[in-house]
């Protein structure tokens, strides 16, 4: 035995995902690596030779790596399991866009080979720490890799908010809410709300209003050292806080939400050193036909101009997000 342990997390609700997970587990076990799977997924995988653990934040403790197979929702679930343990996560996209993923379904063989050889790099992605206060008292704490969103709880009425940056009030508006995002989350909910795309290596916090009725309600990019806050005004209906679209808490009128850079990052395993521009072109199928490039560009880069749907080295778009 190698003394190495890898956690495998999968969206087991679809046959294709199950087949992919079984392939990964089989090949890792054959290589002498101890495979750990979640109790909720073990029965569906129906394979011998792996350890079973509960789906809790400590599930990845002691692991070298976590391989997560699925769409963006599954990858965010994986992030919940690895963050506290400081274990890197390698995502394999079985969904549609999959910005957090490093590889696609058809790359599974290479993924396992690279893991067996320990041929991957690790980078850290900043997170958000979120605090909810009522009457000055802390009533809830949470965190997010992509975003923390404050939204109205009912469709009938707007949510009345006042925003704050570094202890100073910025603006008041009524609307559907506000999104606070990391650069990693800039291509997720914040992007859908009209926010900017921020390259992952840029350290910053984003604030993006959602359908705000105000003259000044533009997306803002601030220092990673800033503290952002929003207060749900007393005369408004209650709101709701969502962290990564997975963890939620109600916000009564008068509640205050504070967002700052997270103390604990999420570590991502990387197989490629592709420019983020390539990832954007591939994931959003951006039209680049006609681009000729500079005199020092490689033939591979020039080939981008021949196909608006080029996958470059991040793979093709997959089926519907699990």
């Amino acid at each position: 035995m190698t003394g190495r342990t890898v956690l495998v997390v999968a969206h087991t609700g679809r046959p294709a995902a199950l087949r992919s997970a079984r392939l990964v587990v089989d090949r890792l076990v054959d290589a002498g690596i101890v495979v750990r799977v979640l109790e909720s997924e073990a029965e569906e995988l129906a394979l011998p030779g792996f350890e079973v653990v509960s789906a809790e934040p400590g599930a990845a403790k002691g692991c070298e790596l976590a391989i997560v197979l699925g769409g963006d929702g599954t990858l965010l679930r994986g992030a919940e399991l690895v963050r506290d343990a400081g274990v890197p996560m390698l995502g394999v996209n079985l969904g549609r866009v999959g910005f957090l993923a490093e590889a696609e379904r058809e790359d599974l063989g290479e993924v396992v080979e690279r893991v067996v050889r320990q041929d991957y790099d690790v980078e850290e992605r900043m997170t958000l720490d979120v605090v909810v206060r009522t009457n000055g008292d802390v009533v809830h704490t949470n965190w997010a890799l992509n975003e923390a969103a404050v939204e109205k709880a009912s469709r009938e009425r707007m949510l009345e908010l006042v925003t704050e940056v570094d202890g100073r009030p910025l603006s008041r508006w009524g609307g559907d809410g506000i999104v606070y995002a990391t650069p990693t989350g800039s291509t997720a909910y914040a992007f859908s709300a009209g926010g900017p795309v921020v390259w992952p290596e840029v350290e910053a916090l984003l604030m993006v209003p959602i359908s705000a009725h105000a003259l000044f309600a533009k997306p803002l990019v601030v220092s990673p050292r800033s503290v952002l806050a929003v207060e749900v005004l007393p005369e408004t209906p209650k709101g709701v806080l969502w962290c990564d679209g997975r963890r939620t808490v109600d916000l009564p009128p008068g509640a205050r939400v504070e967002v700052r850079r997270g103390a604990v990052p999420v570590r991502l395993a990387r197989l490629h050193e592709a420019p983020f521009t390539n990832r954007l072109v591939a994931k959003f199928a951006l039209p680049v036909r006609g681009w000729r490039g500079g005199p020092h560009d490689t033939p591979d880069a020039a080939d981008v101009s021949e196909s608006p749907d080029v996958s470059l080295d991040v793979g093709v778009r997959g089926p519907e997000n699990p």
Side-chain angles (χ1 to χ4, degrees):
M1 299 297 289
T2 63
R4 301 168 59 193
T5 302
V6 171
L7 173 68
V8 174
V9 179
H11 185 282
T12 56
R14 295 184 177 181
L18 274 174
R19 289 194 297 269
S20 297
R22 287 167 180 159
L23 182 150
V24 170
V25 171
D26 276 342
R27 294 193 181 184
L28 290 176
V29 170
D30 287 345
I33 296 174
V34 176
V35 175
R36 187 180 295 176
V37 301
L38 302 179
E39 186 176 21
S40 56
E41 300 169 3
E43 184 175 350
E44 290 184 90
L45 286 172
L47 289 171
F50 52 64
E51 294 182 356
V52 178
V53 294
S54 299
E56 299 175 353
K61 187 176 181 180
C63 290
E64 168 192 324
L65 182 74
I67 300 177
V68 182
L69 304 102
D72 287 328
T74 307
L75 294 171
L76 289 170
R77 178 164 63 95
E80 295 175 353
L81 299 172
V82 302
R83 174 177 174 259
D84 289 345
V87 172
M89 176 178 72
L90 198 164
V92 179
N93 181 38
L94 304 182
R96 288 178 295 183
V97 180
F99 260 97
L100 287 172
E102 180 62 9
E104 303 292 323
R105 187 197 313 268
E106 50 271 20
D107 302 324
L108 273 177
E110 179 192 1
V111 168
V112 176
E113 290 177 7
R114 297 280 292 272
V115 170
V116 170
R117 300 198 308 264
Q118 294 182 296
D119 181 16
Y120 56 85
D121 298 315
V122 176
E123 68 180 34
E124 292 187 347
R125 293 291 184 91
M126 65 180 290
T127 58
L128 303 175
D129 281 343
V130 186
V131 173
V132 179
R133 299 180 187 270
T134 58
N135 299 319
D137 297 326
V138 175
V139 295
H140 182 76
T141 61
N142 218 309
W143 71 278
L145 172 59
N146 274 352
E147 77 279 316
V150 174
E151 304 176 16
K152 62 182 184 180
S154 62
R155 295 174 57 88
E156 292 78 15
R157 295 180 59 187
M158 293 188 299
L159 194 62
E160 294 289 339
L161 304 171
V162 61
T163 60
E164 173 189 305
V165 178
D166 294 329
R168 304 303 303 164
L170 176 68
S171 185
R172 170 179 172 165
W173 63 66
D176 289 349
I178 189 168
V179 178
Y180 296 106
T182 64
T184 300
S186 70
T187 51
Y189 192 178
F191 178 84
S192 298
V197 173
V198 180
W199 263 235
E201 61 267 27
V202 176
E203 294 192 340
L205 300 176
L206 283 69
M207 182 173 69
V208 183
I210 309 172
S211 302
H213 292 250
L215 179 63
F216 183 84
K218 300 297 184 182
L220 300 179
V221 181
V222 303
S223 163
R225 297 179 296 277
S226 289
V227 178
L228 306 177
V230 60
E231 296 179 359
V232 180
L233 296 178
E235 62 268 27
T236 196
K238 73 175 183 178
V240 60
L241 168 69
W242 285 92
C243 290
D244 284 338
R246 293 183 49 78
R247 303 176 301 279
T248 184
V249 63
D250 288 338
L251 300 174
R256 174 184 173 87
V257 179
E258 298 170 352
V259 178
R260 52 178 51 83
R261 179 179 187 156
V264 182
V266 168
R267 306 179 73 211
L268 297 181
R270 290 302 190 198
L271 304 178
H272 309 286
E273 295 183 0
F276 184 66
T277 307
N278 289 12
R279 189 176 292 265
L280 282 178
V281 170
K283 297 297 184 179
F284 288 134
L286 301 179
V288 292
R289 187 181 302 278
W291 179 76
R292 295 185 180 278
H296 302 296
D297 291 307
T298 65
D300 287 343
D303 287 345
V304 172
S305 64
E306 299 302 319
S307 172
D309 299 320
V310 66
S311 65
L312 302 180
D313 55 2
V314 295
V316 298
R317 300 175 73 182
E320 184 177 354
N321 184 15

